Amino acid sequence: MITVVIADRLGKGQNVAKGVEAAGGKAVVVPGMGADMRLGDVMQQENADLGISFCGSGGAGALTAATKYGYPERHGMRSIDEGVTAINDGKTVLGFGFMDQEELGKRIVEAYMKKNG
């Protein structure tokens, strides 16, 4: 089962989690304000396959996870299609502007499963 950690600057991410679970993945939502800055730490704890970070710029949590743990990341994304492309390019940490949408979680997991069998 694919494990996806979701970390939102404002403590949200529940809708993305629903999409992850609808696609057959396991969603771990990091609680609390500033959760995006703990993305990499929680990915390590959960031995996660993917991490999704949300903040205004779409970069802080993803860049922190990449810097601290070496995860391949793409940040500053504003659309689901950009996230799917990042998965296809081998990225495992995705940084978005605020987009707590069920479709995002579903399509990211589907893209990861298609790419990785």
Side-chain angles (χ1 to χ4, degrees):
M1 178 178 287
I2 296 165
T3 300
V4 182
V5 175
I6 301 157
D8 185 290
R9 174 65 53 117
L10 301 177
K12 298 179 182 179
Q14 292 78 13
N15 291 325
V16 174
K18 288 178 192 170
V20 166
E21 291 167 354
K26 173 187 172 191
V28 177
V29 178
V30 182
M33 296 295 286
D36 61 318
M37 300 308 288
R38 298 189 303 277
L39 176 65
D41 297 335
V42 177
M43 286 179 71
Q44 286 286 302
Q45 291 167 5
E46 296 288 335
N47 195 24
D49 301 290
L50 294 171
I52 301 175
S53 170
F54 297 101
C55 70
S57 68
L63 287 168
T64 301
T67 300
K68 190 169 182 181
Y69 296 105
Y71 292 114
E73 66 84 28
R74 183 161 299 153
H75 63 278
M77 294 185 284
R78 300 280 188 246
S79 75
I80 295 168
D81 288 337
E82 284 181 287
V84 169
T85 298
I87 292 293
N88 290 333
D89 290 345
K91 308 304 181 192
T92 58
V93 172
L94 310 176
F96 292 93
F98 293 115
M99 291 178 53
D100 188 13
Q101 301 170 10
E102 192 170 330
E103 182 186 356
L104 173 62
K106 185 172 186 290
R107 288 197 42 212
I108 292 300
V109 169
E110 289 170 349
Y112 185 87
M113 290 191 308
K114 183 177 179 182
K115 178 174 175 50
N116 296 290

